[in-house]
Amino acid sequence: SRAIRNFGAFFKLKPTTPFESLPAKIRGYLMNGIPEDEREALGGKFEGVLPNLQRRFQDSESEFVKERLLAYMSAAPCPACAGKRLRPAALAVKLKSGTLNMSIADTTAMSIERALGFFSSVDLGKMQRTIAEPILKEVDARLGFLASVGLGYLTLDRASGTLSGGEAQRIRLATQVGSGLVGVAYVLDEPTIGLHQRDNDRLLATLRRLADIGNTVLVVEHDEDVIRAADYLVDVGPGPGRHGGSIVAAGSVDDVAACKESLTGAYLSGRRSIAVPTERRPVRADRAIVVKGAKENNLKGIDAAFPLGGLVCVTGVSGSGKSTLVSDILLKAAQKHVHAAKVVPGTHARVTGLAGIERVVEVDQSPIGRTPRSNPATYTGIFDEIRKHFAKSPESKIRGYEPGRFSFNVKGGRCEACQGQGMVKIEMHFLPDVFVACETCKGTRYNRETLEVKFKGKNVAEVLDMTVDDAVLHFEAHPKVRGMLECLRDVGLGYMQLGQASTTVSGGEAQRIKLATELGNMSSASTLYVLDEPTTGLHFADVEKLLVVLQRLADAGHTLVVIEHNLDVVKCADWLIDLGPEGGERGGTIIAAGTPEQVAATAASYTGRYLKPILERAARASASSTSDAQPTRRSTKRTAATTKR
């Protein structure tokens, strides 16, 4: 900019001079500006790079500008309090327990498990204990409730924004357990999210305690442990979307398992299961991306190798460091190396082997769009092709319509009353905004003239209302559209409408839409895919479909790194990296690495203990099954195999 050029000219600096080569004082002026008391002597005012960015961020009303400037910011501890949030006077008050002498900031920095031990042995005089006894009783009880739902690894000062949905839900559950209320109906939506099988027993014991004291606990869940522990099951189906909505079976676990119409019952009874591959890809630890010296959060300076060209699962109990290793270090380091992304990886020494990949794709559960205009058709790109087909129709040619006429994002063919959203937002003061169907277009998004143009008997609004299954038949003769639609169907989204607003798409559905998009546009470039618990919200049958998609990507030579607790996914991986042994401070080390069979043989691995009986059962079933029930061998033409246990 002109200011920088004037700055360089005043101090007689060459534009090519590296920043590191500048004198320390000049670097200070450049970054922070010239102090007021030196401006007269130095001949003028220079704002400085950092104050300039700060001012522009605070003054701008543009979200685009703010998002761009955020790339230059990072969180750092407050230099005055070193991140402890309190004044020295408040930090001077301390509690003693054994050899520990802790301020309130030190205490809240403890994990829940450590805090339980600390408060159970606080050194207090007789009078002090009399005063503190009811307080300590409440503290111990509340910490105990949090530990009982598998959250002992969390620190007390953990920011709420960094909690996963499952962790936040279990904190609320622990609060309710401590209330001691009876006659209450508790409704939980998938409380096992992010929970290792080792911790399922603790959660189930907590839910059972709530029921035993006289409450009703209603749980929406796909986890087999929770399903089998239930007193009464209600199975809804038989399929998803418009194919569902009926009560297929209700009763005990045995009743549902015996129901021939129940897809859930088929998996519970063993009539149907996800097969263990008879062959695994020959991945090697010496041909891998290797993270060396990982020390972020609770990681203990570990070296982790992620073999290329296969399905790699990272497992371990909750809080063992899986997300830190994969999302904070591996993913960001790869994005920075391959795409020159402006991200800062977590603390580590170095990452080797990144030359073996050409693309990095994070397939997470973030929304595919933030407004009703975004939908599966626009995200996958098939809507561009659909608009071209409408523009080629005889009626369009007569009227002179181009593909843009059928876009609801630009003026021309869209309904201007709702600006192509089909919905109108009503701002409710003190309440969440409400979306209602547009009265002008009745939710179709387009004006009357546009809707008069039809392709194979359907106008563009009717096409957007189609489900994926129906659209596959409608566009059967059009390979580009049909191919992507088949990918959506393959990931289990055949029931979804093409124009379903992104605001109504669940996290699991959004993730599968992204996977389908990758399948439909599969690149020949060697790609690293990173997924964090992709089975969240998925039924057994959906997990089976998801595995087929993941294996197709791996068969194409790509590398998939998946953080996962679901043992159906774990048992199908080519390579496992198991972290532990516990969560929080007692985690952060690699307990085992190798094939699922090798991890299952590791006594110290909690994942291995739960994986071992599954692999043994699959081996027995494979040995005794008939030829037509054999699990499908791993090949480039993979299918979803089902076999009796």
Side-chain angles (χ1 to χ4, degrees), residues 32-331:
N32 301 308
I34 298 175
E36 289 187 19
D37 57 349
E38 297 183 43
R39 287 175 187 170
E40 187 175 346
L42 294 175
K45 176 183 177 182
F46 178 72
E47 185 179 21
V49 173
L50 296 180
N52 177 269
L53 293 174
Q54 183 72 26
R55 177 181 55 78
R56 288 166 60 194
F57 182 82
Q58 292 174 345
D59 294 348
S60 177
E61 295 182 0
S62 167
E63 288 298 322
F64 173 78
V65 171
K66 288 195 173 188
E67 189 171 341
R68 187 177 176 186
L69 292 175
L70 278 172
Y72 299 99
M73 299 183 181
S74 61
C78 169
C81 67
K84 294 186 177 181
R85 310 185 190 197
L86 298 170
R87 294 180 177 182
L91 295 172
V93 180
K94 297 188 177 183
L95 277 178
K96 190 175 182 182
S97 176
T99 58
L100 299 175
N101 199 25
M102 313 286 275
S103 68
I104 189 170
D106 298 329
T107 306
T108 54
M110 289 180 175
S111 67
I112 289 167
E113 287 181 347
R114 281 195 65 199
L116 268 170
F118 177 82
F119 284 106
S120 65
S121 58
V122 172
D123 296 339
L124 297 173
K126 187 175 181 180
M127 182 180 295
Q128 292 173 322
R129 182 160 294 279
T130 302
I131 297 170
E133 190 170 359
I135 300 173
L136 289 174
K137 183 179 178 181
E138 282 296 314
V139 170
D140 287 340
R142 291 166 193 261
L143 291 173
F145 295 141
L146 288 167
S148 70
V149 293
L151 296 174
Y153 61 90
L154 291 180
T155 56
L156 293 170
D157 62 357
R158 176 81 170 262
S160 60
T162 65
L163 296 171
S164 69
E167 288 170 337
Q169 186 172 219
R170 278 179 276 148
I171 288 174
R172 291 194 294 271
L173 177 62
T175 303
Q176 292 301 320
V177 174
S179 69
L181 295 175
V182 297
V184 177
Y186 292 102
V187 181
L188 295 92
D189 190 358
E190 300 194 61
T192 60
I193 291 174
L195 205 59
H196 190 272
Q197 284 73 17
R198 196 278 307 265
D199 299 316
N200 271 3
D201 293 340
R202 298 179 184 176
L203 176 65
L204 288 171
T206 301
L207 298 179
R208 175 60 59 192
R209 192 185 317 159
L210 281 173
D212 288 344
I213 63 175
N215 297 301
T216 300
V217 182
L218 180 62
V219 184
V220 180
E221 189 55 85
H222 295 105
D223 183 82
E224 186 173 350
D225 290 342
V226 178
I227 292 173
R228 292 190 180 278
D231 299 314
Y232 193 84
L233 295 181
V234 178
D235 188 41
V236 182
R242 69 177 186 180
H243 305 298
S246 301
I247 304 296
V248 178
S252 66
V253 174
D254 292 337
D255 293 337
V256 174
C259 179
K260 301 297 182 184
E261 294 75 28
S262 170
L263 190 56
T264 303
Y267 284 93
L268 292 175
S269 66
R271 297 191 303 273
R272 186 169 177 176
S273 66
I274 298 173
V276 175
T278 56
E279 293 181 359
R280 304 190 189 277
R281 296 179 189 83
V283 295
R284 307 196 316 266
D286 60 344
R287 183 178 175 271
I289 299 172
V290 182
V291 176
K292 292 183 176 292
K295 293 183 179 180
E296 184 72 5
N297 294 335
N298 66 331
L299 296 179
K300 306 296 192 296
I302 60 175
D303 297 343
F306 300 86
L308 296 172
L311 176 57
V312 180
C313 273
V314 181
T315 61
V317 298
S318 305
S320 57
K322 303 183 296 298
S323 295
T324 300
L325 175 62
V326 176
S327 300
D328 294 348
I329 299 179
L330 172 67
L331 174 62

Side-chain angles (χ1 to χ4, degrees), residues 48 117 120 296 298 318 323 340 381 396 403 408 433 473 476-477 506-507 530 563 581 616:
S120 65
E296 184 72 5
N298 66 331
S318 305
S323 295
S396 286
F408 43 73
D433 295 337
L473 298 175
E476 189 174 10
S506 71
V530 176
I563 302 171
E616 290 176 345

Side-chain angles (χ1 to χ4, degrees), residues 472-495:
V472 169
L473 298 175
H474 192 75
F475 292 96
E476 189 174 10
H478 305 279
K480 285 187 177 180
V481 179
R482 189 192 69 235
M484 183 60 75
L485 290 171
E486 287 175 343
C487 291
L488 285 169
R489 187 177 61 184
D490 289 346
V491 297
L493 295 177
Y495 63 90

Side-chain angles (χ1 to χ4, degrees), residues 509-530:
E509 288 171 335
Q511 192 166 39
R512 282 183 284 164
I513 290 171
K514 294 173 186 178
L515 279 171
T517 305
E518 284 295 321
L519 274 180
N521 301 312
M522 194 180 294
S523 172
S524 59
S526 179
T527 305
L528 170 66
Y529 292 97
V530 176

Side-chain angles (χ1 to χ4, degrees), residues 593-606:
T595 64
E597 288 78 12
Q598 291 171 331
V599 172
T602 304
S605 169
Y606 285 116

